[in-house]
Amino acid sequence: MSRFALTVEYDGRPFMGWQRQAHGPSVQEAIERAALAITGETVAVHAAGRTDAGVHARGMRAHLDLERIITPFRLMEALNAKLRPAPVAILDCQLVADDWHARFSCLARHYEYRIISRRAPLTFENGLAWRVPTPLDASAMADAAARLVGRHDFTTFRSAHCQADSPLRTLDRLDVRQQGERISVFASARSFLHHQVRSMVGCLALVGQGKWSADDLQAALEARDRSQLGLNAPPDGLFFLRADYP
């Protein structure tokens, strides 16, 4: 038995999310079906994160185990051939130790959320960014974001369906950068709660619109109450960028 680590890129628009679903297509199922077609083996593909419906990835890490003897390069090429025309690509494939785990060995996860602030509809990036039709003050958003960095109870920014045992998380990074009409929010942590990034970005957008202040954001955090969330951003602009390992 050999364990292969994959780096996966995908457009989340056609999928119900990463995780296998009974009611629609998933990225996990697409890769597992491709592996079955190549090797005849029924495999389980484990990922560093479980992205929601409509969320994308530039560098999701995953792994699978195979009995068949095959080189990483040949496996990568075969998977990509079988995955077409689904918008999923295996960017890299490597042999790893049997105890390496895409989820449990991960030390940090990094996300980017893309906002485009303009009145005109999106064309090329429709579904790949959140269009906010009103101007945003990126500087105010950055100042407010600093209030969320560190170890906190993120209950307010946690989905009601979150299955994590604890709402406590250490947010290592929450940066806001602007380039023209594009605003990117970069978030890094060892792990995130369900909807945490989208919830934080939604509230930062309220700050950028002048509807909330940094104090309002901090008050929402300290309330530890989901009903105090101002806005949950849509999935369109969220990208899983990469995962770090020892």
Side-chain angles (χ1 to χ4, degrees), residues 78-112:
L79 286 172
N80 283 330
K82 292 297 183 182
L83 284 164
R84 298 188 189 102
V88 182
I90 310 302
L91 305 182
D92 186 61
C93 180
Q94 298 178 358
L95 279 169
V96 291
D98 293 344
D99 61 351
W100 188 93
H101 197 285
R103 178 183 175 191
F104 299 119
S105 300
C106 185
L107 297 178
R109 295 162 174 86
H110 306 274
Y111 286 87
E112 177 188 3

PDB file of all heavy atoms in Angstrom, residues 78-112:
ATOM      1  N   ALA A  78      -2.876  10.455 -15.077  1.00  0.00           N
ATOM      2  CA  ALA A  78      -4.075   9.633 -15.271  1.00  0.00           C
ATOM      3  C   ALA A  78      -5.288  10.261 -14.594  1.00  0.00           C
ATOM      4  O   ALA A  78      -6.395  10.277 -15.155  1.00  0.00           O
ATOM      5  CB  ALA A  78      -3.830   8.228 -14.746  1.00  0.00           C
ATOM      6  N   LEU A  79      -5.097  10.767 -13.385  1.00  0.00           N
ATOM      7  CA  LEU A  79      -6.207  11.419 -12.694  1.00  0.00           C
ATOM      8  C   LEU A  79      -6.705  12.622 -13.484  1.00  0.00           C
ATOM      9  O   LEU A  79      -7.924  12.823 -13.649  1.00  0.00           O
ATOM     10  CB  LEU A  79      -5.787  11.849 -11.291  1.00  0.00           C
ATOM     11  CG  LEU A  79      -5.630  10.745 -10.243  1.00  0.00           C
ATOM     12  CD1 LEU A  79      -5.032  11.305  -8.966  1.00  0.00           C
ATOM     13  CD2 LEU A  79      -6.971  10.076  -9.944  1.00  0.00           C
ATOM     14  N   ASN A  80      -5.783  13.442 -13.981  1.00  0.00           N
ATOM     15  CA  ASN A  80      -6.192  14.614 -14.751  1.00  0.00           C
ATOM     16  C   ASN A  80      -6.946  14.222 -16.013  1.00  0.00           C
ATOM     17  O   ASN A  80      -7.918  14.879 -16.409  1.00  0.00           O
ATOM     18  CB  ASN A  80      -4.970  15.474 -15.099  1.00  0.00           C
ATOM     19  CG  ASN A  80      -4.498  16.301 -13.921  1.00  0.00           C
ATOM     20  OD1 ASN A  80      -5.300  16.688 -13.067  1.00  0.00           O
ATOM     21  ND2 ASN A  80      -3.207  16.574 -13.854  1.00  0.00           N
ATOM     22  N   ALA A  81      -6.517  13.142 -16.648  1.00  0.00           N
ATOM     23  CA  ALA A  81      -7.214  12.677 -17.852  1.00  0.00           C
ATOM     24  C   ALA A  81      -8.632  12.229 -17.527  1.00  0.00           C
ATOM     25  O   ALA A  81      -9.577  12.539 -18.267  1.00  0.00           O
ATOM     26  CB  ALA A  81      -6.429  11.545 -18.508  1.00  0.00           C
ATOM     27  N   LYS A  82      -8.792  11.514 -16.420  1.00  0.00           N
ATOM     28  CA  LYS A  82     -10.111  11.002 -16.053  1.00  0.00           C
ATOM     29  C   LYS A  82     -11.021  12.091 -15.483  1.00  0.00           C
ATOM     30  O   LYS A  82     -12.252  11.974 -15.555  1.00  0.00           O
ATOM     31  CB  LYS A  82      -9.966   9.867 -15.035  1.00  0.00           C
ATOM     32  CG  LYS A  82      -9.332   8.597 -15.583  1.00  0.00           C
ATOM     33  CD  LYS A  82     -10.186   7.965 -16.677  1.00  0.00           C
ATOM     34  CE  LYS A  82      -9.581   6.662 -17.167  1.00  0.00           C
ATOM     35  NZ  LYS A  82     -10.393   6.057 -18.267  1.00  0.00           N
ATOM     36  N   LEU A  83     -10.430  13.129 -14.908  1.00  0.00           N
ATOM     37  CA  LEU A  83     -11.232  14.202 -14.321  1.00  0.00           C
ATOM     38  C   LEU A  83     -11.868  15.115 -15.375  1.00  0.00           C
ATOM     39  O   LEU A  83     -12.883  15.760 -15.099  1.00  0.00           O
ATOM     40  CB  LEU A  83     -10.374  15.036 -13.359  1.00  0.00           C
ATOM     41  CG  LEU A  83     -10.086  14.397 -12.003  1.00  0.00           C
ATOM     42  CD1 LEU A  83      -8.947  15.109 -11.298  1.00  0.00           C
ATOM     43  CD2 LEU A  83     -11.341  14.394 -11.134  1.00  0.00           C
ATOM     44  N   ARG A  84     -11.274  15.195 -16.553  1.00  0.00           N
ATOM     45  CA  ARG A  84     -11.846  16.059 -17.583  1.00  0.00           C
ATOM     46  C   ARG A  84     -13.267  15.607 -17.922  1.00  0.00           C
ATOM     47  O   ARG A  84     -13.544  14.409 -17.961  1.00  0.00           O
ATOM     48  CB  ARG A  84     -10.978  16.003 -18.859  1.00  0.00           C
ATOM     49  CG  ARG A  84      -9.574  16.500 -18.669  1.00  0.00           C
ATOM     50  CD  ARG A  84      -8.845  16.595 -20.029  1.00  0.00           C
ATOM     51  NE  ARG A  84      -7.429  16.882 -19.829  1.00  0.00           N
ATOM     52  CZ  ARG A  84      -6.446  15.979 -19.912  1.00  0.00           C
ATOM     53  NH1 ARG A  84      -6.730  14.741 -20.231  1.00  0.00           N
ATOM     54  NH2 ARG A  84      -5.196  16.324 -19.711  1.00  0.00           N
ATOM     55  N   PRO A  85     -14.204  16.541 -18.178  1.00  0.00           N
ATOM     56  CA  PRO A  85     -14.038  17.995 -18.255  1.00  0.00           C
ATOM     57  C   PRO A  85     -14.364  18.728 -16.952  1.00  0.00           C
ATOM     58  O   PRO A  85     -14.561  19.941 -16.966  1.00  0.00           O
ATOM     59  CB  PRO A  85     -15.055  18.374 -19.332  1.00  0.00           C
ATOM     60  CG  PRO A  85     -16.181  17.423 -19.080  1.00  0.00           C
ATOM     61  CD  PRO A  85     -15.542  16.125 -18.646  1.00  0.00           C
ATOM     62  N   ALA A  86     -14.439  18.024 -15.834  1.00  0.00           N
ATOM     63  CA  ALA A  86     -14.710  18.688 -14.558  1.00  0.00           C
ATOM     64  C   ALA A  86     -13.607  19.707 -14.264  1.00  0.00           C
ATOM     65  O   ALA A  86     -12.435  19.459 -14.573  1.00  0.00           O
ATOM     66  CB  ALA A  86     -14.778  17.660 -13.432  1.00  0.00           C
ATOM     67  N   PRO A  87     -13.937  20.852 -13.674  1.00  0.00           N
ATOM     68  CA  PRO A  87     -12.938  21.876 -13.384  1.00  0.00           C
ATOM     69  C   PRO A  87     -12.112  21.530 -12.143  1.00  0.00           C
ATOM     70  O   PRO A  87     -12.109  22.252 -11.144  1.00  0.00           O
ATOM     71  CB  PRO A  87     -13.765  23.137 -13.193  1.00  0.00           C
ATOM     72  CG  PRO A  87     -15.059  22.639 -12.635  1.00  0.00           C
ATOM     73  CD  PRO A  87     -15.296  21.304 -13.289  1.00  0.00           C
ATOM     74  N   VAL A  88     -11.433  20.387 -12.213  1.00  0.00           N
ATOM     75  CA  VAL A  88     -10.568  19.899 -11.131  1.00  0.00           C
ATOM     76  C   VAL A  88      -9.246  19.487 -11.748  1.00  0.00           C
ATOM     77  O   VAL A  88      -9.236  18.781 -12.764  1.00  0.00           O
ATOM     78  CB  VAL A  88     -11.191  18.691 -10.406  1.00  0.00           C
ATOM     79  CG1 VAL A  88     -10.287  18.233  -9.266  1.00  0.00           C
ATOM     80  CG2 VAL A  88     -12.585  19.013  -9.893  1.00  0.00           C
ATOM     81  N   ALA A  89      -8.139  19.922 -11.165  1.00  0.00           N
ATOM     82  CA  ALA A  89      -6.821  19.560 -11.682  1.00  0.00           C
ATOM     83  C   ALA A  89      -5.909  19.149 -10.540  1.00  0.00           C
ATOM     84  O   ALA A  89      -5.892  19.783  -9.480  1.00  0.00           O
ATOM     85  CB  ALA A  89      -6.200  20.734 -12.441  1.00  0.00           C
ATOM     86  N   ILE A  90      -5.152  18.078 -10.772  1.00  0.00           N
ATOM     87  CA  ILE A  90      -4.113  17.654  -9.825  1.00  0.00           C
ATOM     88  C   ILE A  90      -2.821  18.351 -10.247  1.00  0.00           C
ATOM     89  O   ILE A  90      -2.277  18.080 -11.311  1.00  0.00           O
ATOM     90  CB  ILE A  90      -3.930  16.122  -9.838  1.00  0.00           C
ATOM     91  CG1 ILE A  90      -5.286  15.412  -9.687  1.00  0.00           C
ATOM     92  CG2 ILE A  90      -2.965  15.710  -8.738  1.00  0.00           C
ATOM     93  CD1 ILE A  90      -6.053  15.771  -8.444  1.00  0.00           C
ATOM     94  N   LEU A  91      -2.350  19.273  -9.420  1.00  0.00           N
ATOM     95  CA  LEU A  91      -1.164  20.067  -9.746  1.00  0.00           C
ATOM     96  C   LEU A  91       0.131  19.359  -9.382  1.00  0.00           C
ATOM     97  O   LEU A  91       1.170  19.606  -9.990  1.00  0.00           O
ATOM     98  CB  LEU A  91      -1.216  21.422  -9.029  1.00  0.00           C
ATOM     99  CG  LEU A  91      -2.463  22.278  -9.254  1.00  0.00           C
ATOM    100  CD1 LEU A  91      -2.317  23.594  -8.506  1.00  0.00           C
ATOM    101  CD2 LEU A  91      -2.700  22.517 -10.737  1.00  0.00           C
ATOM    102  N   ASP A  92       0.058  18.481  -8.386  1.00  0.00           N
ATOM    103  CA  ASP A  92       1.265  17.801  -7.924  1.00  0.00           C
ATOM    104  C   ASP A  92       0.855  16.507  -7.237  1.00  0.00           C
ATOM    105  O   ASP A  92      -0.234  16.403  -6.658  1.00  0.00           O
ATOM    106  CB  ASP A  92       2.054  18.691  -6.949  1.00  0.00           C
ATOM    107  CG  ASP A  92       3.386  18.082  -6.564  1.00  0.00           C
ATOM    108  OD1 ASP A  92       4.218  17.867  -7.460  1.00  0.00           O
ATOM    109  OD2 ASP A  92       3.596  17.807  -5.367  1.00  0.00           O
ATOM    110  N   CYS A  93       1.737  15.516  -7.309  1.00  0.00           N
ATOM    111  CA  CYS A  93       1.487  14.212  -6.674  1.00  0.00           C
ATOM    112  C   CYS A  93       2.817  13.674  -6.175  1.00  0.00           C
ATOM    113  O   CYS A  93       3.798  13.644  -6.925  1.00  0.00           O
ATOM    114  CB  CYS A  93       0.848  13.257  -7.679  1.00  0.00           C
ATOM    115  SG  CYS A  93       0.492  11.608  -7.015  1.00  0.00           S
ATOM    116  N   GLN A  94       2.845  13.272  -4.911  1.00  0.00           N
ATOM    117  CA  GLN A  94       4.081  12.783  -4.309  1.00  0.00           C
ATOM    118  C   GLN A  94       3.797  11.584  -3.409  1.00  0.00           C
ATOM    119  O   GLN A  94       2.734  11.500  -2.784  1.00  0.00           O
ATOM    120  CB  GLN A  94       4.739  13.881  -3.465  1.00  0.00           C
ATOM    121  CG  GLN A  94       5.153  15.109  -4.232  1.00  0.00           C
ATOM    122  CD  GLN A  94       5.755  16.167  -3.312  1.00  0.00           C
ATOM    123  OE1 GLN A  94       5.816  15.988  -2.094  1.00  0.00           O
ATOM    124  NE2 GLN A  94       6.191  17.267  -3.897  1.00  0.00           N
ATOM    125  N   LEU A  95       4.760  10.673  -3.318  1.00  0.00           N
ATOM    126  CA  LEU A  95       4.698   9.607  -2.333  1.00  0.00           C
ATOM    127  C   LEU A  95       5.044  10.178  -0.964  1.00  0.00           C
ATOM    128  O   LEU A  95       5.990  10.960  -0.827  1.00  0.00           O
ATOM    129  CB  LEU A  95       5.682   8.490  -2.686  1.00  0.00           C
ATOM    130  CG  LEU A  95       5.237   7.477  -3.741  1.00  0.00           C
ATOM    131  CD1 LEU A  95       6.422   6.613  -4.152  1.00  0.00           C
ATOM    132  CD2 LEU A  95       4.102   6.598  -3.196  1.00  0.00           C
ATOM    133  N   VAL A  96       4.273   9.789   0.052  1.00  0.00           N
ATOM    134  CA  VAL A  96       4.523  10.272   1.410  1.00  0.00           C
ATOM    135  C   VAL A  96       4.504   9.088   2.367  1.00  0.00           C
ATOM    136  O   VAL A  96       4.095   7.990   2.011  1.00  0.00           O
ATOM    137  CB  VAL A  96       3.478  11.326   1.843  1.00  0.00           C
ATOM    138  CG1 VAL A  96       3.655  12.623   1.065  1.00  0.00           C
ATOM    139  CG2 VAL A  96       2.054  10.785   1.680  1.00  0.00           C
ATOM    140  N   ALA A  97       4.932   9.344   3.578  1.00  0.00           N
ATOM    141  CA  ALA A  97       4.948   8.298   4.602  1.00  0.00           C
ATOM    142  C   ALA A  97       3.525   7.849   4.937  1.00  0.00           C
ATOM    143  O   ALA A  97       2.568   8.614   4.789  1.00  0.00           O
ATOM    144  CB  ALA A  97       5.642   8.820   5.856  1.00  0.00           C
ATOM    145  N   ASP A  98       3.423   6.625   5.415  1.00  0.00           N
ATOM    146  CA  ASP A  98       2.105   6.062   5.718  1.00  0.00           C
ATOM    147  C   ASP A  98       1.363   6.834   6.799  1.00  0.00           C
ATOM    148  O   ASP A  98       0.130   6.776   6.871  1.00  0.00           O
ATOM    149  CB  ASP A  98       2.244   4.600   6.157  1.00  0.00           C
ATOM    150  CG  ASP A  98       2.717   3.699   5.018  1.00  0.00           C
ATOM    151  OD1 ASP A  98       2.648   4.142   3.849  1.00  0.00           O
ATOM    152  OD2 ASP A  98       3.144   2.561   5.312  1.00  0.00           O
ATOM    153  N   ASP A  99       2.098   7.543   7.666  1.00  0.00           N
ATOM    154  CA  ASP A  99       1.443   8.274   8.745  1.00  0.00           C
ATOM    155  C   ASP A  99       1.199   9.736   8.402  1.00  0.00           C
ATOM    156  O   ASP A  99       0.713  10.504   9.240  1.00  0.00           O
ATOM    157  CB  ASP A  99       2.255   8.171  10.040  1.00  0.00           C
ATOM    158  CG  ASP A  99       3.655   8.768   9.910  1.00  0.00           C
ATOM    159  OD1 ASP A  99       4.071   9.114   8.780  1.00  0.00           O
ATOM    160  OD2 ASP A  99       4.342   8.879  10.949  1.00  0.00           O
ATOM    161  N   TRP A 100       1.525  10.136   7.173  1.00  0.00           N
ATOM    162  CA  TRP A 100       1.220  11.507   6.738  1.00  0.00           C
ATOM    163  C   TRP A 100      -0.265  11.606   6.444  1.00  0.00           C
ATOM    164  O   TRP A 100      -0.834  10.753   5.761  1.00  0.00           O
ATOM    165  CB  TRP A 100       2.024  11.852   5.488  1.00  0.00           C
ATOM    166  CG  TRP A 100       1.942  13.294   5.070  1.00  0.00           C
ATOM    167  CD1 TRP A 100       2.796  14.293   5.412  1.00  0.00           C
ATOM    168  CD2 TRP A 100       0.964  13.895   4.212  1.00  0.00           C
ATOM    169  NE1 TRP A 100       2.414  15.483   4.827  1.00  0.00           N
ATOM    170  CE2 TRP A 100       1.282  15.265   4.093  1.00  0.00           C
ATOM    171  CE3 TRP A 100      -0.169  13.412   3.536  1.00  0.00           C
ATOM    172  CZ2 TRP A 100       0.538  16.157   3.318  1.00  0.00           C
ATOM    173  CZ3 TRP A 100      -0.928  14.294   2.779  1.00  0.00           C
ATOM    174  CH2 TRP A 100      -0.579  15.646   2.674  1.00  0.00           C
ATOM    175  N   HIS A 101      -0.918  12.632   6.982  1.00  0.00           N
ATOM    176  CA  HIS A 101      -2.363  12.777   6.795  1.00  0.00           C
ATOM    177  C   HIS A 101      -2.677  14.210   6.361  1.00  0.00           C
ATOM    178  O   HIS A 101      -2.233  15.167   7.006  1.00  0.00           O
ATOM    179  CB  HIS A 101      -3.100  12.449   8.095  1.00  0.00           C
ATOM    180  CG  HIS A 101      -4.557  12.168   7.916  1.00  0.00           C
ATOM    181  ND1 HIS A 101      -5.489  13.166   7.675  1.00  0.00           N
ATOM    182  CD2 HIS A 101      -5.261  11.000   7.953  1.00  0.00           C
ATOM    183  CE1 HIS A 101      -6.693  12.628   7.571  1.00  0.00           C
ATOM    184  NE2 HIS A 101      -6.583  11.313   7.728  1.00  0.00           N
ATOM    185  N   ALA A 102      -3.418  14.342   5.281  1.00  0.00           N
ATOM    186  CA  ALA A 102      -3.704  15.670   4.731  1.00  0.00           C
ATOM    187  C   ALA A 102      -4.383  16.577   5.752  1.00  0.00           C
ATOM    188  O   ALA A 102      -4.117  17.790   5.790  1.00  0.00           O
ATOM    189  CB  ALA A 102      -4.575  15.541   3.482  1.00  0.00           C
ATOM    190  N   ARG A 103      -5.227  16.003   6.577  1.00  0.00           N
ATOM    191  CA  ARG A 103      -5.943  16.808   7.565  1.00  0.00           C
ATOM    192  C   ARG A 103      -5.193  16.905   8.884  1.00  0.00           C
ATOM    193  O   ARG A 103      -4.919  17.995   9.388  1.00  0.00           O
ATOM    194  CB  ARG A 103      -7.338  16.229   7.802  1.00  0.00           C
ATOM    195  CG  ARG A 103      -8.142  16.985   8.860  1.00  0.00           C
ATOM    196  CD  ARG A 103      -9.481  16.328   9.118  1.00  0.00           C
ATOM    197  NE  ARG A 103     -10.197  16.987  10.205  1.00  0.00           N
ATOM    198  CZ  ARG A 103     -11.295  16.504  10.777  1.00  0.00           C
ATOM    199  NH1 ARG A 103     -11.806  15.348  10.367  1.00  0.00           N
ATOM    200  NH2 ARG A 103     -11.884  17.156  11.772  1.00  0.00           N
ATOM    201  N   PHE A 104      -4.838  15.759   9.448  1.00  0.00           N
ATOM    202  CA  PHE A 104      -4.313  15.745  10.818  1.00  0.00           C
ATOM    203  C   PHE A 104      -2.841  16.152  10.912  1.00  0.00           C
ATOM    204  O   PHE A 104      -2.378  16.535  11.983  1.00  0.00           O
ATOM    205  CB  PHE A 104      -4.542  14.379  11.449  1.00  0.00           C
ATOM    206  CG  PHE A 104      -5.994  14.006  11.552  1.00  0.00           C
ATOM    207  CD1 PHE A 104      -6.488  12.885  10.901  1.00  0.00           C
ATOM    208  CD2 PHE A 104      -6.879  14.788  12.280  1.00  0.00           C
ATOM    209  CE1 PHE A 104      -7.833  12.549  10.977  1.00  0.00           C
ATOM    210  CE2 PHE A 104      -8.226  14.463  12.367  1.00  0.00           C
ATOM    211  CZ  PHE A 104      -8.707  13.344  11.713  1.00  0.00           C
ATOM    212  N   SER A 105      -2.089  16.066   9.813  1.00  0.00           N
ATOM    213  CA  SER A 105      -0.690  16.500   9.831  1.00  0.00           C
ATOM    214  C   SER A 105      -0.544  17.980   9.513  1.00  0.00           C
ATOM    215  O   SER A 105       0.557  18.526   9.597  1.00  0.00           O
ATOM    216  CB  SER A 105       0.126  15.682   8.816  1.00  0.00           C
ATOM    217  OG  SER A 105       0.089  14.307   9.112  1.00  0.00           O
ATOM    218  N   CYS A 106      -1.649  18.632   9.162  1.00  0.00           N
ATOM    219  CA  CYS A 106      -1.591  20.027   8.706  1.00  0.00           C
ATOM    220  C   CYS A 106      -1.312  20.977   9.871  1.00  0.00           C
ATOM    221  O   CYS A 106      -1.939  20.883  10.933  1.00  0.00           O
ATOM    222  CB  CYS A 106      -2.917  20.381   8.043  1.00  0.00           C
ATOM    223  SG  CYS A 106      -2.938  22.016   7.298  1.00  0.00           S
ATOM    224  N   LEU A 107      -0.378  21.896   9.670  1.00  0.00           N
ATOM    225  CA  LEU A 107      -0.005  22.874  10.693  1.00  0.00           C
ATOM    226  C   LEU A 107      -0.700  24.214  10.510  1.00  0.00           C
ATOM    227  O   LEU A 107      -0.867  24.963  11.474  1.00  0.00           O
ATOM    228  CB  LEU A 107       1.510  23.099  10.676  1.00  0.00           C
ATOM    229  CG  LEU A 107       2.386  21.899  10.999  1.00  0.00           C
ATOM    230  CD1 LEU A 107       3.855  22.287  10.896  1.00  0.00           C
ATOM    231  CD2 LEU A 107       2.062  21.348  12.383  1.00  0.00           C
ATOM    232  N   ALA A 108      -1.084  24.534   9.293  1.00  0.00           N
ATOM    233  CA  ALA A 108      -1.740  25.817   9.036  1.00  0.00           C
ATOM    234  C   ALA A 108      -2.495  25.752   7.716  1.00  0.00           C
ATOM    235  O   ALA A 108      -2.085  25.039   6.791  1.00  0.00           O
ATOM    236  CB  ALA A 108      -0.732  26.958   9.000  1.00  0.00           C
ATOM    237  N   ARG A 109      -3.577  26.505   7.662  1.00  0.00           N
ATOM    238  CA  ARG A 109      -4.382  26.612   6.453  1.00  0.00           C
ATOM    239  C   ARG A 109      -4.505  28.082   6.073  1.00  0.00           C
ATOM    240  O   ARG A 109      -4.654  28.929   6.959  1.00  0.00           O
ATOM    241  CB  ARG A 109      -5.759  25.980   6.686  1.00  0.00           C
ATOM    242  CG  ARG A 109      -5.681  24.470   6.933  1.00  0.00           C
ATOM    243  CD  ARG A 109      -6.938  23.924   7.594  1.00  0.00           C
ATOM    244  NE  ARG A 109      -6.913  22.464   7.694  1.00  0.00           N
ATOM    245  CZ  ARG A 109      -6.356  21.783   8.688  1.00  0.00           C
ATOM    246  NH1 ARG A 109      -5.758  22.435   9.684  1.00  0.00           N
ATOM    247  NH2 ARG A 109      -6.367  20.467   8.702  1.00  0.00           N
ATOM    248  N   HIS A 110      -4.456  28.347   4.786  1.00  0.00           N
ATOM    249  CA  HIS A 110      -4.439  29.728   4.301  1.00  0.00           C
ATOM    250  C   HIS A 110      -5.549  29.936   3.267  1.00  0.00           C
ATOM    251  O   HIS A 110      -5.682  29.137   2.327  1.00  0.00           O
ATOM    252  CB  HIS A 110      -3.087  30.045   3.667  1.00  0.00           C
ATOM    253  CG  HIS A 110      -1.919  29.762   4.565  1.00  0.00           C
ATOM    254  ND1 HIS A 110      -1.431  30.664   5.482  1.00  0.00           N
ATOM    255  CD2 HIS A 110      -1.155  28.640   4.707  1.00  0.00           C
ATOM    256  CE1 HIS A 110      -0.404  30.136   6.129  1.00  0.00           C
ATOM    257  NE2 HIS A 110      -0.223  28.905   5.686  1.00  0.00           N
ATOM    258  N   TYR A 111      -6.313  31.000   3.458  1.00  0.00           N
ATOM    259  CA  TYR A 111      -7.411  31.331   2.563  1.00  0.00           C
ATOM    260  C   TYR A 111      -7.262  32.756   2.026  1.00  0.00           C
ATOM    261  O   TYR A 111      -6.661  33.624   2.674  1.00  0.00           O
ATOM    262  CB  TYR A 111      -8.756  31.260   3.297  1.00  0.00           C
ATOM    263  CG  TYR A 111      -9.261  29.871   3.596  1.00  0.00           C
ATOM    264  CD1 TYR A 111      -8.887  29.211   4.760  1.00  0.00           C
ATOM    265  CD2 TYR A 111     -10.147  29.235   2.733  1.00  0.00           C
ATOM    266  CE1 TYR A 111      -9.371  27.936   5.053  1.00  0.00           C
ATOM    267  CE2 TYR A 111     -10.638  27.956   3.014  1.00  0.00           C
ATOM    268  CZ  TYR A 111     -10.244  27.321   4.173  1.00  0.00           C
ATOM    269  OH  TYR A 111     -10.726  26.067   4.455  1.00  0.00           O
ATOM    270  N   GLU A 112      -7.847  32.972   0.862  1.00  0.00           N
ATOM    271  CA  GLU A 112      -8.011  34.322   0.322  1.00  0.00           C
ATOM    272  C   GLU A 112      -9.479  34.519  -0.011  1.00  0.00           C
ATOM    273  O   GLU A 112     -10.116  33.633  -0.593  1.00  0.00           O
ATOM    274  CB  GLU A 112      -7.184  34.531  -0.948  1.00  0.00           C
ATOM    275  CG  GLU A 112      -7.393  35.919  -1.569  1.00  0.00           C
ATOM    276  CD  GLU A 112      -6.720  36.075  -2.931  1.00  0.00           C
ATOM    277  OE1 GLU A 112      -6.133  35.084  -3.422  1.00  0.00           O
ATOM    278  OE2 GLU A 112      -6.803  37.177  -3.500  1.00  0.00           O
TER     279      GLU A 112
END
